[in-house]
Amino acid sequence: MFTPKIPPPDTAPTPGTSLVPPLTGLVHPPACTCHRTPAAPTAPVPVAPPARPTVQLTPGSLVVAAAGGTAMVLIIGTVLVSMLLATAITAASVAVCAVVLRSLLNRPNNR
């Protein structure tokens, strides 16, 4: 089952031959039929680099950026603290339920 299937020697190709026949008689047309002579080379024209936008920080925009950053930190901090608080409350309630269930199951005759 795991042995390779080798074709019998009469159908196997010899090492010097190929299974794909060679392409013969294939003629490509020229890429361009205009037959123009190339123009005389001219000096390259220097290209100005593209103008990049500059950031202008005015005192007003600096205050807005600082206020926005502070607001983002406060919002993200509030969300993370509330998630931590929700996890702590859930863990405490599960612990209380476990203690109550343990006390109920350990002493069924004391009721």
Side-chain angles (χ1 to χ4, degrees):
M1 181 166 79
F2 295 109
T3 58
K5 305 291 188 267
I6 300 174
D10 59 341
T11 60
T14 59
T17 62
S18 173
L19 296 177
V20 179
L23 296 174
T24 57
L26 188 62
V27 178
H28 292 286
C32 176
T33 57
C34 57
H35 302 295
R36 287 187 290 164
T37 59
T42 60
V45 177
V47 178
R52 291 196 265 176
T54 58
V55 177
Q56 299 289 332
L57 287 180
T58 61
S61 64
L62 193 58
V63 169
V64 169
T70 304
M72 290 300 295
V73 166
L74 290 176
I75 291 170
I76 292 172
T78 304
V79 169
L80 291 177
V81 167
S82 65
M83 288 172 55
L84 181 64
L85 184 61
T87 305
I89 292 172
T90 304
S93 64
V94 168
V96 168
C97 290
V99 168
V100 170
L101 281 175
R102 186 174 134 195
S103 67
L104 286 176
L105 292 175
N106 281 343
R107 300 183 187 187
N109 296 333
N110 290 347
R111 283 191 267 153

